Amino acid sequence: QVQVVESGGALVRTGGSLRLSCAASGRTFSSQGMGWFRQAQGKDREFVAAITWSGEHTYYADFVKGRFTISRDNAKNTVYLQMNSLKPEDTAVYYCAARDNGIATSPGLFTYWGQGTQVTVSS
């Protein structure tokens, strides 16, 4: 089992920045692919970013490229999502997820999920 806990969500103004953190515990964190997803009210959960176990490869949704950066620190069992140039449409609950093998962008391919952290961007 793997437990993941997100933190760092907040209310921020348009153009502002936030850094989300995801602390993982349980099975060997360093061997897992990690991802960030988000779900706005009334919408489906969507992929935001993902990172391989080594941190060598990262993947982003088109709508966050150039604004968001995913990274990980395996020594701290933590994944980060640095979000810059935030827009009101980025408002959502952001979820961290883990999977045991490889990397993916579909929510259904991730096994372990956190409870989410709210990000609200005011206009």
Side-chain angles (χ1 to χ4, degrees):
Q1 278 287 355
V2 174
Q3 294 79 41
V4 293
V5 179
E6 307 94 335
S7 62
L11 171 64
V12 64
R13 291 185 176 181
T14 297
S17 297
L18 281 176
R19 188 176 79 157
L20 305 183
S21 298
C22 170
S25 60
R27 297 180 63 176
T28 306
F29 173 78
S30 61
S31 66
Q32 294 175 319
M34 302 294 295
W36 284 98
F37 296 81
R38 70 185 188 185
Q39 188 166 16
Q41 193 169 8
K43 295 187 177 181
D44 292 336
R45 192 167 299 189
E46 62 182 355
F47 170 73
V48 175
I51 189 167
T52 54
W53 68 270
S54 66
E56 183 177 0
H57 299 289
T58 57
Y59 304 87
Y60 296 95
D62 287 343
F63 55 78
V64 302
K65 284 181 180 177
R67 298 191 298 127
F68 292 9
T69 303
I70 188 171
S71 62
R72 67 189 294 161
D73 184 340
N74 287 344
K76 296 182 178 179
N77 287 0
T78 302
V79 175
Y80 305 98
L81 185 68
Q82 178 66 44
M83 305 187 295
N84 299 328
S85 302
L86 284 162
K87 306 175 181 179
E89 51 264 44
D90 293 320
T91 295
V93 177
Y94 283 71
Y95 296 91
C96 178
R99 67 190 307 266
D100 291 324
N101 297 299
I103 197 62
T105 59
S106 171
L109 296 177
F110 282 78
T111 306
Y112 310 103
W113 290 85
Q115 294 301 306
T117 186
Q118 177 70 48
V119 172
T120 303
V121 184
S122 64
S123 57

